mmCIF file of all heavy atoms in Angstrom:
data_model
loop_
_atom_site.group_PDB
_atom_site.id
_atom_site.type_symbol
_atom_site.label_atom_id
_atom_site.label_comp_id
_atom_site.label_asym_id
_atom_site.label_seq_id
_atom_site.Cartn_x
_atom_site.Cartn_y
_atom_site.Cartn_z
ATOM 1 N N LYS B 345 18.650 -11.174 10.808
ATOM 2 C CA LYS B 345 17.612 -12.215 11.459
ATOM 3 C C LYS B 345 16.159 -11.458 11.464
ATOM 4 O O LYS B 345 15.226 -12.255 11.444
ATOM 5 C CB LYS B 345 18.077 -12.634 12.814
ATOM 6 C CG LYS B 345 19.378 -13.506 12.648
ATOM 7 C CD LYS B 345 19.596 -14.058 14.040
ATOM 8 C CE LYS B 345 20.900 -14.843 14.024
ATOM 9 N NZ LYS B 345 21.282 -15.415 15.144
ATOM 10 N N GLY B 346 16.125 -10.208 11.619
ATOM 11 C CA GLY B 346 14.889 -9.490 11.763
ATOM 12 C C GLY B 346 14.077 -9.330 10.321
ATOM 13 O O GLY B 346 12.797 -9.435 10.358
ATOM 14 N N PHE B 347 14.812 -9.213 9.268
ATOM 15 C CA PHE B 347 14.175 -9.019 7.952
ATOM 16 C C PHE B 347 14.005 -10.368 7.212
ATOM 17 O O PHE B 347 14.937 -11.082 7.196
ATOM 18 C CB PHE B 347 15.020 -8.076 7.070
ATOM 19 C CG PHE B 347 14.947 -6.606 7.590
ATOM 20 C CD1 PHE B 347 16.250 -5.878 7.520
ATOM 21 C CD2 PHE B 347 13.904 -5.992 7.961
ATOM 22 C CE1 PHE B 347 16.272 -4.581 7.867
ATOM 23 C CE2 PHE B 347 13.830 -4.648 8.297
ATOM 24 C CZ PHE B 347 15.121 -3.937 8.279
ATOM 25 N N GLY B 348 12.968 -10.417 6.477
ATOM 26 C CA GLY B 348 12.777 -11.559 5.567
ATOM 27 C C GLY B 348 13.500 -11.409 4.214
ATOM 28 O O GLY B 348 14.164 -10.338 3.991
ATOM 29 N N GLU B 349 13.361 -12.405 3.374
ATOM 30 C CA GLU B 349 14.188 -12.414 2.093
ATOM 31 C C GLU B 349 13.959 -11.257 1.142
ATOM 32 O O GLU B 349 14.892 -10.653 0.710
ATOM 33 C CB GLU B 349 14.103 -13.800 1.510
ATOM 34 C CG GLU B 349 14.985 -14.023 0.354
ATOM 35 C CD GLU B 349 14.681 -15.317 -0.480
ATOM 36 O OE1 GLU B 349 14.363 -16.359 0.321
ATOM 37 O OE2 GLU B 349 14.695 -15.380 -1.599
ATOM 38 N N GLU B 350 12.632 -11.004 0.933
ATOM 39 C CA GLU B 350 12.379 -9.944 -0.062
ATOM 40 C C GLU B 350 12.827 -8.643 0.410
ATOM 41 O O GLU B 350 13.198 -7.721 -0.219
ATOM 42 C CB GLU B 350 10.795 -10.078 -0.368
ATOM 43 C CG GLU B 350 10.358 -8.926 -1.470
ATOM 44 C CD GLU B 350 10.980 -9.230 -2.846
ATOM 45 O OE1 GLU B 350 11.554 -10.269 -3.068
ATOM 46 O OE2 GLU B 350 10.971 -8.129 -3.567
ATOM 47 N N THR B 351 12.556 -8.352 1.754
ATOM 48 C CA THR B 351 12.974 -7.099 2.430
ATOM 49 C C THR B 351 14.476 -6.881 2.106
ATOM 50 O O THR B 351 14.991 -5.855 1.834
ATOM 51 C CB THR B 351 12.559 -7.106 3.805
ATOM 52 O OG1 THR B 351 11.194 -7.288 3.927
ATOM 53 C CG2 THR B 351 12.850 -5.764 4.456
ATOM 54 N N ARG B 352 15.140 -8.010 2.489
ATOM 55 C CA ARG B 352 16.704 -7.799 2.362
ATOM 56 C C ARG B 352 17.059 -7.619 0.861
ATOM 57 O O ARG B 352 17.914 -6.761 0.533
ATOM 58 C CB ARG B 352 17.391 -9.052 2.864
ATOM 59 C CG ARG B 352 17.308 -9.178 4.368
ATOM 60 C CD ARG B 352 18.058 -10.271 4.961
ATOM 61 N NE ARG B 352 17.411 -11.681 4.622
ATOM 62 C CZ ARG B 352 17.886 -12.793 4.344
ATOM 63 N NH1 ARG B 352 19.197 -12.844 4.159
ATOM 64 N NH2 ARG B 352 17.163 -13.822 4.164
ATOM 65 N N ARG B 353 16.409 -8.244 -0.063
ATOM 66 C CA ARG B 353 16.726 -8.176 -1.489
ATOM 67 C C ARG B 353 16.398 -6.631 -1.947
ATOM 68 O O ARG B 353 17.211 -6.048 -2.656
ATOM 69 C CB ARG B 353 15.724 -9.065 -2.377
ATOM 70 C CG ARG B 353 16.086 -9.063 -3.843
ATOM 71 C CD ARG B 353 15.102 -9.971 -4.528
ATOM 72 N NE ARG B 353 15.304 -11.254 -4.312
ATOM 73 C CZ ARG B 353 14.487 -12.210 -3.822
ATOM 74 N NH1 ARG B 353 13.362 -11.720 -3.411
ATOM 75 N NH2 ARG B 353 14.776 -13.458 -3.551
ATOM 76 N N ARG B 354 15.379 -6.116 -1.456
ATOM 77 C CA ARG B 354 15.092 -4.739 -1.923
ATOM 78 C C ARG B 354 15.975 -3.760 -1.253
ATOM 79 O O ARG B 354 16.287 -2.702 -1.795
ATOM 80 C CB ARG B 354 13.635 -4.425 -1.596
ATOM 81 C CG ARG B 354 12.652 -5.156 -2.476
ATOM 82 C CD ARG B 354 11.375 -4.657 -2.529
ATOM 83 N NE ARG B 354 10.380 -5.634 -3.067
ATOM 84 C CZ ARG B 354 9.095 -5.369 -3.438
ATOM 85 N NH1 ARG B 354 8.693 -4.133 -3.346
ATOM 86 N NH2 ARG B 354 8.347 -6.343 -3.934
ATOM 87 N N ILE B 355 16.418 -4.014 0.015
ATOM 88 C CA ILE B 355 17.361 -3.129 0.677
ATOM 89 C C ILE B 355 18.738 -3.096 -0.042
ATOM 90 O O ILE B 355 19.288 -2.059 -0.409
ATOM 91 C CB ILE B 355 17.588 -3.528 2.123
ATOM 92 C CG1 ILE B 355 16.347 -3.212 3.045
ATOM 93 C CG2 ILE B 355 18.868 -2.864 2.667
ATOM 94 C CD1 ILE B 355 16.380 -3.660 4.348
ATOM 95 N N LEU B 356 19.039 -4.297 -0.484
ATOM 96 C CA LEU B 356 20.344 -4.381 -1.288
ATOM 97 C C LEU B 356 20.181 -3.720 -2.658
ATOM 98 O O LEU B 356 21.132 -2.941 -3.132
ATOM 99 C CB LEU B 356 20.753 -5.847 -1.475
ATOM 100 C CG LEU B 356 21.138 -6.682 -0.430
ATOM 101 C CD1 LEU B 356 21.750 -8.051 -0.826
ATOM 102 C CD2 LEU B 356 22.122 -5.992 0.439
ATOM 103 N N LEU B 357 19.061 -3.946 -3.262
ATOM 104 C CA LEU B 357 18.850 -3.223 -4.623
ATOM 105 C C LEU B 357 18.877 -1.713 -4.473
ATOM 106 O O LEU B 357 19.490 -1.047 -5.325
ATOM 107 C CB LEU B 357 17.545 -3.748 -5.209
ATOM 108 C CG LEU B 357 17.167 -3.530 -6.618
ATOM 109 C CD1 LEU B 357 18.240 -4.166 -7.528
ATOM 110 C CD2 LEU B 357 15.770 -4.097 -6.958
ATOM 111 N N GLY B 358 18.151 -1.210 -3.441
ATOM 112 C CA GLY B 358 18.149 0.280 -3.197
ATOM 113 C C GLY B 358 19.587 0.692 -2.830
ATOM 114 O O GLY B 358 19.963 1.879 -3.356
ATOM 115 N N THR B 359 20.295 0.018 -2.113
ATOM 116 C CA THR B 359 21.651 0.330 -1.735
ATOM 117 C C THR B 359 22.499 0.414 -3.087
ATOM 118 O O THR B 359 23.293 1.435 -3.254
ATOM 119 C CB THR B 359 22.341 -0.662 -0.792
ATOM 120 O OG1 THR B 359 21.426 -0.919 0.267
ATOM 121 C CG2 THR B 359 23.734 -0.172 -0.248
ATOM 122 N N PHE B 360 22.274 -0.411 -4.004
ATOM 123 C CA PHE B 360 23.029 -0.518 -5.253
ATOM 124 C C PHE B 360 22.565 0.766 -6.064
ATOM 125 O O PHE B 360 23.509 1.509 -6.488
ATOM 126 C CB PHE B 360 22.626 -1.738 -6.072
ATOM 127 C CG PHE B 360 23.163 -1.701 -7.434
ATOM 128 C CD1 PHE B 360 24.570 -2.034 -7.677
ATOM 129 C CD2 PHE B 360 22.396 -1.400 -8.559
ATOM 130 C CE1 PHE B 360 25.066 -2.041 -9.004
ATOM 131 C CE2 PHE B 360 22.954 -1.356 -9.790
ATOM 132 C CZ PHE B 360 24.283 -1.731 -10.085
ATOM 133 N N VAL B 361 21.322 1.068 -6.281
ATOM 134 C CA VAL B 361 20.884 2.123 -7.205
ATOM 135 C C VAL B 361 21.359 3.499 -6.687
ATOM 136 O O VAL B 361 21.326 4.481 -7.444
ATOM 137 C CB VAL B 361 19.355 2.099 -7.638
ATOM 138 C CG1 VAL B 361 19.084 0.800 -8.413
ATOM 139 C CG2 VAL B 361 18.553 2.281 -6.405
ATOM 140 N N LEU B 362 21.547 3.562 -5.331
ATOM 141 C CA LEU B 362 21.850 4.869 -4.754
ATOM 142 C C LEU B 362 23.451 5.001 -4.592
ATOM 143 O O LEU B 362 23.902 6.020 -4.203
ATOM 144 C CB LEU B 362 21.210 5.009 -3.368
ATOM 145 C CG LEU B 362 19.787 5.297 -3.323
ATOM 146 C CD1 LEU B 362 19.224 5.323 -1.873
ATOM 147 C CD2 LEU B 362 19.354 6.531 -3.986
ATOM 148 N N SER B 363 24.111 3.936 -4.935
ATOM 149 C CA SER B 363 25.574 3.985 -4.643
ATOM 150 C C SER B 363 26.330 4.893 -5.632
ATOM 151 O O SER B 363 25.883 4.953 -6.803
ATOM 152 C CB SER B 363 26.162 2.506 -4.528
ATOM 153 O OG SER B 363 26.035 1.953 -5.818
ATOM 154 N N SER B 364 27.419 5.412 -5.191
ATOM 155 C CA SER B 364 28.198 6.260 -5.947
ATOM 156 C C SER B 364 28.601 5.550 -7.220
ATOM 157 O O SER B 364 28.984 4.379 -7.290
ATOM 158 C CB SER B 364 29.490 6.708 -5.152
ATOM 159 O OG SER B 364 30.373 7.249 -6.024
ATOM 160 N N GLY B 365 28.510 6.241 -8.400
ATOM 161 C CA GLY B 365 28.845 5.513 -9.694
ATOM 162 C C GLY B 365 27.515 5.045 -10.354
ATOM 163 O O GLY B 365 27.575 4.836 -11.571
ATOM 164 N N TYR B 366 26.549 4.720 -9.628
ATOM 165 C CA TYR B 366 25.252 4.200 -10.183
ATOM 166 C C TYR B 366 24.165 5.107 -10.076
ATOM 167 O O TYR B 366 23.153 5.017 -10.737
ATOM 168 C CB TYR B 366 24.887 2.760 -9.618
ATOM 169 C CG TYR B 366 26.038 1.715 -10.020
ATOM 170 C CD1 TYR B 366 26.846 1.322 -9.080
ATOM 171 C CD2 TYR B 366 26.009 1.270 -11.286
ATOM 172 C CE1 TYR B 366 27.785 0.373 -9.414
ATOM 173 C CE2 TYR B 366 26.934 0.334 -11.660
ATOM 174 C CZ TYR B 366 27.849 -0.154 -10.736
ATOM 175 O OH TYR B 366 28.768 -1.139 -10.990
ATOM 176 N N ILE B 367 24.257 6.092 -9.201
ATOM 177 C CA ILE B 367 23.083 6.987 -8.807
ATOM 178 C C ILE B 367 22.645 7.732 -10.077
ATOM 179 O O ILE B 367 21.386 7.923 -10.280
ATOM 180 C CB ILE B 367 23.377 7.885 -7.621
ATOM 181 C CG1 ILE B 367 22.022 8.495 -7.149
ATOM 182 C CG2 ILE B 367 24.335 8.852 -7.942
ATOM 183 C CD1 ILE B 367 22.128 9.139 -5.731
ATOM 184 N N ASP B 368 23.534 8.255 -10.938
ATOM 185 C CA ASP B 368 23.130 8.955 -12.088
ATOM 186 C C ASP B 368 22.401 8.056 -13.189
ATOM 187 O O ASP B 368 21.424 8.363 -13.704
ATOM 188 C CB ASP B 368 24.268 9.592 -12.789
ATOM 189 C CG ASP B 368 24.714 10.987 -11.996
ATOM 190 O OD1 ASP B 368 23.792 11.498 -11.362
ATOM 191 O OD2 ASP B 368 25.874 11.316 -12.036
ATOM 192 N N ALA B 369 23.011 6.897 -13.350
ATOM 193 C CA ALA B 369 22.511 5.921 -14.296
ATOM 194 C C ALA B 369 21.153 5.470 -13.934
ATOM 195 O O ALA B 369 20.313 5.186 -14.800
ATOM 196 C CB ALA B 369 23.474 4.732 -14.590
ATOM 197 N N TYR B 370 20.907 5.235 -12.602
ATOM 198 C CA TYR B 370 19.627 4.622 -12.236
ATOM 199 C C TYR B 370 18.739 5.604 -11.511
ATOM 200 O O TYR B 370 17.712 5.904 -12.181
ATOM 201 C CB TYR B 370 19.927 3.449 -11.270
ATOM 202 C CG TYR B 370 20.518 2.174 -11.963
ATOM 203 C CD1 TYR B 370 21.880 2.056 -11.986
ATOM 204 C CD2 TYR B 370 19.769 1.351 -12.698
ATOM 205 C CE1 TYR B 370 22.420 0.916 -12.593
ATOM 206 C CE2 TYR B 370 20.255 0.160 -13.329
ATOM 207 C CZ TYR B 370 21.643 0.007 -13.303
ATOM 208 O OH TYR B 370 22.202 -1.038 -14.021
ATOM 209 N N TYR B 371 19.015 6.046 -10.414
ATOM 210 C CA TYR B 371 18.049 6.821 -9.577
ATOM 211 C C TYR B 371 17.663 8.081 -10.343
ATOM 212 O O TYR B 371 16.449 8.418 -10.349
ATOM 213 C CB TYR B 371 18.697 7.064 -8.148
ATOM 214 C CG TYR B 371 17.610 7.774 -7.340
ATOM 215 C CD1 TYR B 371 16.610 7.060 -6.657
ATOM 216 C CD2 TYR B 371 17.716 9.162 -7.058
ATOM 217 C CE1 TYR B 371 15.672 7.680 -6.003
ATOM 218 C CE2 TYR B 371 16.753 9.802 -6.353
ATOM 219 C CZ TYR B 371 15.701 9.085 -5.729
ATOM 220 O OH TYR B 371 14.764 9.664 -4.967
ATOM 221 N N HIS B 372 18.711 8.895 -10.669
ATOM 222 C CA HIS B 372 18.401 10.093 -11.322
ATOM 223 C C HIS B 372 17.550 10.013 -12.545
ATOM 224 O O HIS B 372 16.644 10.851 -12.871
ATOM 225 C CB HIS B 372 19.677 10.981 -11.516
ATOM 226 C CG HIS B 372 20.224 11.502 -10.216
ATOM 227 N ND1 HIS B 372 21.471 11.734 -10.117
ATOM 228 C CD2 HIS B 372 19.614 11.679 -8.997
ATOM 229 C CE1 HIS B 372 21.782 12.124 -8.833
ATOM 230 N NE2 HIS B 372 20.628 12.141 -8.183
ATOM 231 N N ARG B 373 17.806 8.977 -13.377
ATOM 232 C CA ARG B 373 17.064 8.736 -14.671
ATOM 233 C C ARG B 373 15.697 8.393 -14.256
ATOM 234 O O ARG B 373 14.704 8.718 -14.857
ATOM 235 C CB ARG B 373 17.740 7.761 -15.487
ATOM 236 C CG ARG B 373 18.986 8.287 -16.192
ATOM 237 C CD ARG B 373 19.655 7.310 -17.110
ATOM 238 N NE ARG B 373 18.915 7.201 -18.338
ATOM 239 C CZ ARG B 373 19.025 8.076 -19.347
ATOM 240 N NH1 ARG B 373 19.847 9.137 -19.308
ATOM 241 N NH2 ARG B 373 18.271 7.902 -20.497
ATOM 242 N N ALA B 374 15.568 7.496 -13.224
ATOM 243 C CA ALA B 374 14.173 7.071 -12.773
ATOM 244 C C ALA B 374 13.416 8.237 -12.307
ATOM 245 O O ALA B 374 12.289 8.411 -12.609
ATOM 246 C CB ALA B 374 14.247 6.052 -11.749
ATOM 247 N N ASP B 375 14.065 9.182 -11.630
ATOM 248 C CA ASP B 375 13.383 10.393 -11.204
ATOM 249 C C ASP B 375 13.019 11.350 -12.395
ATOM 250 O O ASP B 375 11.785 11.793 -12.386
ATOM 251 C CB ASP B 375 14.395 11.152 -10.341
ATOM 252 C CG ASP B 375 13.541 11.974 -9.231
ATOM 253 O OD1 ASP B 375 12.507 11.492 -8.819
ATOM 254 O OD2 ASP B 375 14.048 13.023 -8.883
ATOM 255 N N ALA B 376 13.806 11.362 -13.385
ATOM 256 C CA ALA B 376 13.465 12.127 -14.580
ATOM 257 C C ALA B 376 12.263 11.407 -15.287
ATOM 258 O O ALA B 376 11.376 12.063 -15.846
ATOM 259 C CB ALA B 376 14.631 12.167 -15.527
#
Side-chain angles (χ1 to χ4, degrees):
Chain B
K345 294 186 179 177
F347 290 138
E349 186 182 321
E350 180 63 17
T351 302
R352 286 184 288 140
R353 182 182 292 115
R354 294 199 194 187
I355 290 173
L356 293 191
L357 194 59
T359 308
F360 173 78
V361 298
L362 289 176
S363 61
S364 165
Y366 293 105
I367 191 164
D368 281 332
Y370 289 97
Y371 184 78
H372 289 154
R373 289 186 75 81
D375 208 33

